[in-house]
PDB file of all heavy atoms in Angstrom:
ATOM      1  N   PRO U   1       0.839  -1.200   0.000  1.00 56.00           N
ATOM      2  CA  PRO U   1       0.000   0.000   0.000  1.00 56.00           C
ATOM      3  C   PRO U   1       0.873   1.249   0.000  1.00 56.00           C
ATOM      4  O   PRO U   1       1.986   1.245   0.540  1.00 56.00           O
ATOM      5  CB  PRO U   1      -0.781  -0.119   1.315  1.00 56.00           C
ATOM      6  CG  PRO U   1       0.055  -1.000   2.182  1.00 56.00           C
ATOM      7  CD  PRO U   1       0.736  -1.955   1.249  1.00 56.00           C
ATOM      8  N   PRO U   2       0.399   2.320  -0.628  1.00 58.00           N
ATOM      9  CA  PRO U   2       1.211   3.547  -0.670  1.00 58.00           C
ATOM     10  C   PRO U   2       1.410   4.117   0.724  1.00 58.00           C
ATOM     11  O   PRO U   2       0.546   3.973   1.604  1.00 58.00           O
ATOM     12  CB  PRO U   2       0.356   4.497  -1.524  1.00 58.00           C
ATOM     13  CG  PRO U   2      -1.038   3.955  -1.419  1.00 58.00           C
ATOM     14  CD  PRO U   2      -0.899   2.481  -1.284  1.00 58.00           C
ATOM     15  N   LYS U   3       2.572   4.714   0.924  1.00 56.00           N
ATOM     16  CA  LYS U   3       2.859   5.314   2.224  1.00 56.00           C
ATOM     17  C   LYS U   3       1.936   6.491   2.488  1.00 56.00           C
ATOM     18  O   LYS U   3       1.633   7.277   1.573  1.00 56.00           O
ATOM     19  CB  LYS U   3       4.316   5.791   2.294  1.00 56.00           C
ATOM     20  CG  LYS U   3       5.324   4.665   2.333  1.00 56.00           C
ATOM     21  CD  LYS U   3       6.730   5.219   2.501  1.00 56.00           C
ATOM     22  CE  LYS U   3       7.757   4.095   2.595  1.00 56.00           C
ATOM     23  NZ  LYS U   3       9.136   4.637   2.767  1.00 56.00           N
ATOM     24  N   LYS U   4       1.470   6.569   3.715  1.00 52.00           N
ATOM     25  CA  LYS U   4       0.592   7.669   4.093  1.00 52.00           C
ATOM     26  C   LYS U   4       1.398   8.964   4.186  1.00 52.00           C
ATOM     27  O   LYS U   4       2.441   9.023   4.846  1.00 52.00           O
ATOM     28  CB  LYS U   4      -0.072   7.383   5.442  1.00 52.00           C
ATOM     29  CG  LYS U   4      -1.093   8.424   5.847  1.00 52.00           C
ATOM     30  CD  LYS U   4      -1.762   8.035   7.158  1.00 52.00           C
ATOM     31  CE  LYS U   4      -2.776   9.085   7.574  1.00 52.00           C
ATOM     32  NZ  LYS U   4      -3.428   8.737   8.864  1.00 52.00           N
ATOM     33  N   VAL U   5       0.948   9.971   3.484  1.00 49.00           N
ATOM     34  CA  VAL U   5       1.644  11.257   3.504  1.00 49.00           C
ATOM     35  C   VAL U   5       1.202  12.040   4.726  1.00 49.00           C
ATOM     36  O   VAL U   5       0.009  12.305   4.912  1.00 49.00           O
ATOM     37  CB  VAL U   5       1.352  12.073   2.226  1.00 49.00           C
ATOM     38  CG1 VAL U   5       2.050  13.424   2.301  1.00 49.00           C
ATOM     39  CG2 VAL U   5       1.806  11.289   1.003  1.00 49.00           C
ATOM     40  N   VAL U   6       2.137  12.366   5.584  1.00 47.00           N
ATOM     41  CA  VAL U   6       1.835  13.134   6.787  1.00 47.00           C
ATOM     42  C   VAL U   6       2.082  14.605   6.505  1.00 47.00           C
ATOM     43  O   VAL U   6       3.205  15.004   6.170  1.00 47.00           O
ATOM     44  CB  VAL U   6       2.695  12.676   7.985  1.00 47.00           C
ATOM     45  CG1 VAL U   6       2.369  13.511   9.217  1.00 47.00           C
ATOM     46  CG2 VAL U   6       2.468  11.192   8.258  1.00 47.00           C
ATOM     47  N   GLU U   7       1.032  15.389   6.602  1.00 49.00           N
ATOM     48  CA  GLU U   7       1.178  16.821   6.348  1.00 49.00           C
ATOM     49  C   GLU U   7       1.886  17.488   7.521  1.00 49.00           C
ATOM     50  O   GLU U   7       1.469  17.351   8.669  1.00 49.00           O
ATOM     51  CB  GLU U   7      -0.206  17.459   6.163  1.00 49.00           C
ATOM     52  CG  GLU U   7      -0.133  18.924   5.787  1.00 49.00           C
ATOM     53  CD  GLU U   7      -1.510  19.523   5.555  1.00 49.00           C
ATOM     54  OE1 GLU U   7      -2.481  18.751   5.416  1.00 49.00           O
ATOM     55  OE2 GLU U   7      -1.601  20.761   5.525  1.00 49.00           O
ATOM     56  N   GLU U   8       2.971  18.161   7.216  1.00 52.00           N
ATOM     57  CA  GLU U   8       3.755  18.804   8.272  1.00 52.00           C
ATOM     58  C   GLU U   8       3.032  20.049   8.773  1.00 52.00           C
ATOM     59  O   GLU U   8       2.612  20.904   7.997  1.00 52.00           O
ATOM     60  CB  GLU U   8       5.133  19.197   7.745  1.00 52.00           C
ATOM     61  CG  GLU U   8       6.058  19.723   8.835  1.00 52.00           C
ATOM     62  CD  GLU U   8       7.464  19.999   8.331  1.00 52.00           C
ATOM     63  OE1 GLU U   8       7.755  19.629   7.187  1.00 52.00           O
ATOM     64  OE2 GLU U   8       8.257  20.586   9.084  1.00 52.00           O
ATOM     65  N   LYS U   9       2.831  20.112  10.079  1.00 57.00           N
ATOM     66  CA  LYS U   9       2.127  21.240  10.669  1.00 57.00           C
ATOM     67  C   LYS U   9       3.011  22.483  10.645  1.00 57.00           C
ATOM     68  O   LYS U   9       4.198  22.408  10.928  1.00 57.00           O
ATOM     69  CB  LYS U   9       1.748  20.912  12.124  1.00 57.00           C
ATOM     70  CG  LYS U   9       0.816  21.928  12.772  1.00 57.00           C
ATOM     71  CD  LYS U   9       0.418  21.436  14.159  1.00 57.00           C
ATOM     72  CE  LYS U   9      -0.577  22.392  14.804  1.00 57.00           C
ATOM     73  NZ  LYS U   9       0.020  23.672  15.143  1.00 57.00           N
ATOM     74  N   LYS U  10       2.426  23.604  10.283  1.00 60.00           N
ATOM     75  CA  LYS U  10       3.183  24.852  10.241  1.00 60.00           C
ATOM     76  C   LYS U  10       3.661  25.209  11.642  1.00 60.00           C
ATOM     77  O   LYS U  10       2.892  25.199  12.598  1.00 60.00           O
ATOM     78  CB  LYS U  10       2.302  25.976   9.689  1.00 60.00           C
ATOM     79  CG  LYS U  10       3.030  27.303   9.561  1.00 60.00           C
ATOM     80  CD  LYS U  10       2.133  28.366   8.953  1.00 60.00           C
ATOM     81  CE  LYS U  10       2.864  29.705   8.856  1.00 60.00           C
ATOM     82  NZ  LYS U  10       2.030  30.758   8.252  1.00 60.00           N
ATOM     83  N   VAL U  11       4.944  25.480  11.761  1.00 68.00           N
ATOM     84  CA  VAL U  11       5.520  25.845  13.059  1.00 68.00           C
ATOM     85  C   VAL U  11       5.168  27.295  13.357  1.00 68.00           C
ATOM     86  O   VAL U  11       5.361  28.185  12.532  1.00 68.00           O
ATOM     87  CB  VAL U  11       7.046  25.655  13.056  1.00 68.00           C
ATOM     88  CG1 VAL U  11       7.627  25.989  14.419  1.00 68.00           C
ATOM     89  CG2 VAL U  11       7.396  24.235  12.657  1.00 68.00           C
ATOM     90  N   LEU U  12       4.636  27.524  14.542  1.00 74.00           N
ATOM     91  CA  LEU U  12       4.189  28.862  14.899  1.00 74.00           C
ATOM     92  C   LEU U  12       5.330  29.699  15.454  1.00 74.00           C
ATOM     93  O   LEU U  12       6.174  29.198  16.211  1.00 74.00           O
ATOM     94  CB  LEU U  12       3.066  28.795  15.930  1.00 74.00           C
ATOM     95  CG  LEU U  12       1.754  28.168  15.452  1.00 74.00           C
ATOM     96  CD1 LEU U  12       0.792  28.054  16.625  1.00 74.00           C
ATOM     97  CD2 LEU U  12       1.133  28.983  14.344  1.00 74.00           C
ATOM     98  N   LEU U  13       5.343  30.947  15.071  1.00 85.00           N
ATOM     99  CA  LEU U  13       6.270  31.890  15.677  1.00 85.00           C
ATOM    100  C   LEU U  13       5.760  32.293  17.054  1.00 85.00           C
ATOM    101  O   LEU U  13       4.599  32.133  17.381  1.00 85.00           O
ATOM    102  CB  LEU U  13       6.391  33.129  14.790  1.00 85.00           C
ATOM    103  CG  LEU U  13       7.023  32.911  13.406  1.00 85.00           C
ATOM    104  CD1 LEU U  13       6.749  34.114  12.522  1.00 85.00           C
ATOM    105  CD2 LEU U  13       8.517  32.668  13.531  1.00 85.00           C
ATOM    106  N   GLY U  14       6.649  32.858  17.861  1.00 84.00           N
ATOM    107  CA  GLY U  14       6.235  33.376  19.163  1.00 84.00           C
ATOM    108  C   GLY U  14       6.452  32.386  20.280  1.00 84.00           C
ATOM    109  O   GLY U  14       6.763  31.216  20.077  1.00 84.00           O
ATOM    110  N   ARG U  15       6.282  32.875  21.494  1.00 76.00           N
ATOM    111  CA  ARG U  15       6.504  32.025  22.659  1.00 76.00           C
ATOM    112  C   ARG U  15       5.352  31.038  22.818  1.00 76.00           C
ATOM    113  O   ARG U  15       4.230  31.312  22.408  1.00 76.00           O
ATOM    114  CB  ARG U  15       6.668  32.884  23.931  1.00 76.00           C
ATOM    115  CG  ARG U  15       5.447  33.707  24.314  1.00 76.00           C
ATOM    116  CD  ARG U  15       5.792  34.769  25.348  1.00 76.00           C
ATOM    117  NE  ARG U  15       4.588  35.521  25.707  1.00 76.00           N
ATOM    118  CZ  ARG U  15       3.922  35.367  26.835  1.00 76.00           C
ATOM    119  NH1 ARG U  15       4.318  34.479  27.729  1.00 76.00           N
ATOM    120  NH2 ARG U  15       2.841  36.086  27.095  1.00 76.00           N
ATOM    121  N   PRO U  16       5.600  29.878  23.420  1.00 74.00           N
ATOM    122  CA  PRO U  16       4.589  28.823  23.484  1.00 74.00           C
ATOM    123  C   PRO U  16       3.687  28.888  24.709  1.00 74.00           C
ATOM    124  O   PRO U  16       3.066  27.910  25.064  1.00 74.00           O
ATOM    125  CB  PRO U  16       5.452  27.556  23.517  1.00 74.00           C
ATOM    126  CG  PRO U  16       6.665  27.982  24.278  1.00 74.00           C
ATOM    127  CD  PRO U  16       6.921  29.420  23.874  1.00 74.00           C
ATOM    128  N   GLY U  17       3.629  30.017  25.392  1.00 76.00           N
ATOM    129  CA  GLY U  17       2.854  30.093  26.621  1.00 76.00           C
ATOM    130  C   GLY U  17       1.351  30.060  26.408  1.00 76.00           C
ATOM    131  O   GLY U  17       0.852  30.066  25.288  1.00 76.00           O
ATOM    132  N   ASN U  18       0.622  30.022  27.523  1.00 78.00           N
ATOM    133  CA  ASN U  18      -0.836  29.973  27.489  1.00 78.00           C
ATOM    134  C   ASN U  18      -1.460  31.331  27.797  1.00 78.00           C
ATOM    135  O   ASN U  18      -2.547  31.646  27.324  1.00 78.00           O
ATOM    136  CB  ASN U  18      -1.342  28.942  28.500  1.00 78.00           C
ATOM    137  CG  ASN U  18      -0.688  27.587  28.287  1.00 78.00           C
ATOM    138  OD1 ASN U  18      -0.679  27.072  27.179  1.00 78.00           O
ATOM    139  ND2 ASN U  18      -0.109  27.025  29.333  1.00 78.00           N
ATOM    140  N   ASN U  19      -0.795  32.145  28.593  1.00 82.00           N
ATOM    141  CA  ASN U  19      -1.316  33.467  28.949  1.00 82.00           C
ATOM    142  C   ASN U  19      -0.757  34.494  27.960  1.00 82.00           C
ATOM    143  O   ASN U  19       0.121  35.285  28.279  1.00 82.00           O
ATOM    144  CB  ASN U  19      -0.928  33.825  30.382  1.00 82.00           C
ATOM    145  CG  ASN U  19      -1.517  35.155  30.812  1.00 82.00           C
ATOM    146  OD1 ASN U  19      -2.540  35.606  30.278  1.00 82.00           O
ATOM    147  ND2 ASN U  19      -0.878  35.803  31.760  1.00 82.00           N
ATOM    148  N   LEU U  20      -1.260  34.435  26.729  1.00 88.00           N
ATOM    149  CA  LEU U  20      -0.720  35.275  25.664  1.00 88.00           C
ATOM    150  C   LEU U  20      -1.464  36.610  25.594  1.00 88.00           C
ATOM    151  O   LEU U  20      -2.636  36.707  25.947  1.00 88.00           O
ATOM    152  CB  LEU U  20      -0.795  34.546  24.329  1.00 88.00           C
ATOM    153  CG  LEU U  20      -0.032  33.213  24.306  1.00 88.00           C
ATOM    154  CD1 LEU U  20      -0.128  32.562  22.931  1.00 88.00           C
ATOM    155  CD2 LEU U  20       1.428  33.403  24.692  1.00 88.00           C
ATOM    156  N   LYS U  21      -0.760  37.637  25.106  1.00 90.00           N
ATOM    157  CA  LYS U  21      -1.265  39.010  25.169  1.00 90.00           C
ATOM    158  C   LYS U  21      -1.463  39.581  23.767  1.00 90.00           C
ATOM    159  O   LYS U  21      -0.611  39.412  22.897  1.00 90.00           O
ATOM    160  CB  LYS U  21      -0.267  39.894  25.932  1.00 90.00           C
ATOM    161  CG  LYS U  21       0.088  39.363  27.314  1.00 90.00           C
ATOM    162  CD  LYS U  21       1.300  40.080  27.881  1.00 90.00           C
ATOM    163  CE  LYS U  21       1.733  39.461  29.203  1.00 90.00           C
ATOM    164  NZ  LYS U  21       2.976  40.068  29.713  1.00 90.00           N
ATOM    165  N   ALA U  22      -2.574  40.287  23.587  1.00 93.00           N
ATOM    166  CA  ALA U  22      -2.856  40.952  22.315  1.00 93.00           C
ATOM    167  C   ALA U  22      -2.764  42.457  22.513  1.00 93.00           C
ATOM    168  O   ALA U  22      -3.319  43.000  23.464  1.00 93.00           O
ATOM    169  CB  ALA U  22      -4.249  40.569  21.816  1.00 93.00           C
ATOM    170  N   GLY U  23      -2.049  43.134  21.611  1.00 92.00           N
ATOM    171  CA  GLY U  23      -1.907  44.586  21.694  1.00 92.00           C
ATOM    172  C   GLY U  23      -2.739  45.273  20.625  1.00 92.00           C
ATOM    173  O   GLY U  23      -2.831  44.802  19.492  1.00 92.00           O
ATOM    174  N   ILE U  24      -3.366  46.393  20.990  1.00 91.00           N
ATOM    175  CA  ILE U  24      -4.162  47.176  20.047  1.00 91.00           C
ATOM    176  C   ILE U  24      -3.262  48.262  19.471  1.00 91.00           C
ATOM    177  O   ILE U  24      -2.755  49.119  20.191  1.00 91.00           O
ATOM    178  CB  ILE U  24      -5.387  47.807  20.746  1.00 91.00           C
ATOM    179  CG1 ILE U  24      -6.226  46.722  21.418  1.00 91.00           C
ATOM    180  CG2 ILE U  24      -6.230  48.593  19.743  1.00 91.00           C
ATOM    181  CD1 ILE U  24      -7.332  47.274  22.313  1.00 91.00           C
ATOM    182  N   VAL U  25      -3.077  48.219  18.144  1.00 90.00           N
ATOM    183  CA  VAL U  25      -2.106  49.076  17.465  1.00 90.00           C
ATOM    184  C   VAL U  25      -2.817  49.863  16.364  1.00 90.00           C
ATOM    185  O   VAL U  25      -3.768  49.388  15.759  1.00 90.00           O
ATOM    186  CB  VAL U  25      -0.975  48.219  16.859  1.00 90.00           C
ATOM    187  CG1 VAL U  25      -0.045  49.056  16.003  1.00 90.00           C
ATOM    188  CG2 VAL U  25      -0.193  47.523  17.969  1.00 90.00           C
ATOM    189  N   GLY U  26      -2.327  51.065  16.092  1.00 89.00           N
ATOM    190  CA  GLY U  26      -2.855  51.869  14.994  1.00 89.00           C
ATOM    191  C   GLY U  26      -2.343  53.291  15.103  1.00 89.00           C
ATOM    192  O   GLY U  26      -1.637  53.641  16.057  1.00 89.00           O
ATOM    193  N   LEU U  27      -2.673  54.111  14.125  1.00 87.00           N
ATOM    194  CA  LEU U  27      -2.334  55.525  14.210  1.00 87.00           C
ATOM    195  C   LEU U  27      -3.155  56.192  15.300  1.00 87.00           C
ATOM    196  O   LEU U  27      -4.098  55.609  15.845  1.00 87.00           O
ATOM    197  CB  LEU U  27      -2.592  56.217  12.865  1.00 87.00           C
ATOM    198  CG  LEU U  27      -1.767  55.749  11.665  1.00 87.00           C
ATOM    199  CD1 LEU U  27      -2.088  56.612  10.449  1.00 87.00           C
ATOM    200  CD2 LEU U  27      -0.275  55.790  11.957  1.00 87.00           C
ATOM    201  N   ALA U  28      -2.815  57.428  15.618  1.00 82.00           N
ATOM    202  CA  ALA U  28      -3.582  58.169  16.616  1.00 82.00           C
ATOM    203  C   ALA U  28      -4.985  58.456  16.099  1.00 82.00           C
ATOM    204  O   ALA U  28      -5.202  58.664  14.905  1.00 82.00           O
ATOM    205  CB  ALA U  28      -2.863  59.483  16.937  1.00 82.00           C
ATOM    206  N   ASN U  29      -5.947  58.462  17.014  1.00 82.00           N
ATOM    207  CA  ASN U  29      -7.340  58.863  16.726  1.00 82.00           C
ATOM    208  C   ASN U  29      -8.031  57.998  15.683  1.00 82.00           C
ATOM    209  O   ASN U  29      -8.783  58.497  14.854  1.00 82.00           O
ATOM    210  CB  ASN U  29      -7.396  60.333  16.283  1.00 82.00           C
ATOM    211  CG  ASN U  29      -6.976  61.291  17.380  1.00 82.00           C
ATOM    212  OD1 ASN U  29      -6.857  60.889  18.540  1.00 82.00           O
ATOM    213  ND2 ASN U  29      -6.734  62.528  17.020  1.00 82.00           N
ATOM    214  N   VAL U  30      -7.775  56.688  15.750  1.00 86.00           N
ATOM    215  CA  VAL U  30      -8.492  55.778  14.853  1.00 86.00           C
ATOM    216  C   VAL U  30      -9.539  54.958  15.598  1.00 86.00           C
ATOM    217  O   VAL U  30     -10.265  54.175  14.991  1.00 86.00           O
ATOM    218  CB  VAL U  30      -7.527  54.831  14.109  1.00 86.00           C
ATOM    219  CG1 VAL U  30      -6.584  55.619  13.219  1.00 86.00           C
ATOM    220  CG2 VAL U  30      -6.762  53.934  15.076  1.00 86.00           C
ATOM    221  N   GLY U  31      -9.595  55.111  16.940  1.00 86.00           N
ATOM    222  CA  GLY U  31     -10.595  54.412  17.741  1.00 86.00           C
ATOM    223  C   GLY U  31     -10.042  53.322  18.632  1.00 86.00           C
ATOM    224  O   GLY U  31     -10.800  52.514  19.169  1.00 86.00           O
ATOM    225  N   LYS U  32      -8.703  53.296  18.845  1.00 86.00           N
ATOM    226  CA  LYS U  32      -8.094  52.223  19.631  1.00 86.00           C
ATOM    227  C   LYS U  32      -8.577  52.211  21.074  1.00 86.00           C
ATOM    228  O   LYS U  32      -8.970  51.173  21.598  1.00 86.00           O
ATOM    229  CB  LYS U  32      -6.562  52.344  19.601  1.00 86.00           C
ATOM    230  CG  LYS U  32      -5.944  52.257  18.231  1.00 86.00           C
ATOM    231  CD  LYS U  32      -4.436  52.271  18.284  1.00 86.00           C
ATOM    232  CE  LYS U  32      -3.872  53.389  19.133  1.00 86.00           C
ATOM    233  NZ  LYS U  32      -4.325  54.725  18.685  1.00 86.00           N
ATOM    234  N   SER U  33      -8.501  53.349  21.748  1.00 86.00           N
ATOM    235  CA  SER U  33      -8.860  53.391  23.163  1.00 86.00           C
ATOM    236  C   SER U  33     -10.353  53.158  23.371  1.00 86.00           C
ATOM    237  O   SER U  33     -10.764  52.521  24.349  1.00 86.00           O
ATOM    238  CB  SER U  33      -8.433  54.727  23.783  1.00 86.00           C
ATOM    239  OG  SER U  33      -7.018  54.813  23.828  1.00 86.00           O
ATOM    240  N   THR U  34     -11.177  53.658  22.455  1.00 88.00           N
ATOM    241  CA  THR U  34     -12.613  53.403  22.556  1.00 88.00           C
ATOM    242  C   THR U  34     -12.896  51.923  22.344  1.00 88.00           C
ATOM    243  O   THR U  34     -13.748  51.335  23.027  1.00 88.00           O
ATOM    244  CB  THR U  34     -13.390  54.245  21.521  1.00 88.00           C
ATOM    245  OG1 THR U  34     -13.014  55.618  21.670  1.00 88.00           O
ATOM    246  CG2 THR U  34     -14.888  54.125  21.734  1.00 88.00           C
ATOM    247  N   PHE U  35     -12.177  51.302  21.415  1.00 90.00           N
ATOM    248  CA  PHE U  35     -12.291  49.854  21.211  1.00 90.00           C
ATOM    249  C   PHE U  35     -11.871  49.113  22.474  1.00 90.00           C
ATOM    250  O   PHE U  35     -12.539  48.161  22.901  1.00 90.00           O
ATOM    251  CB  PHE U  35     -11.429  49.435  20.020  1.00 90.00           C
ATOM    252  CG  PHE U  35     -11.203  47.955  19.899  1.00 90.00           C
ATOM    253  CD1 PHE U  35     -12.274  47.088  19.760  1.00 90.00           C
ATOM    254  CD2 PHE U  35      -9.922  47.421  19.916  1.00 90.00           C
ATOM    255  CE1 PHE U  35     -12.073  45.711  19.645  1.00 90.00           C
ATOM    256  CE2 PHE U  35      -9.705  46.062  19.807  1.00 90.00           C
ATOM    257  CZ  PHE U  35     -10.789  45.210  19.667  1.00 90.00           C
TER     258      PHE U  35
END
């Protein structure tokens, strides 16, 4: 039987922690703080 092709999972950049942080970025006065 043909060999099963295992799809290689894309390696993620960044640290592997669980308590990850998202930053709100943009130019001034685009609605960041209100968001």
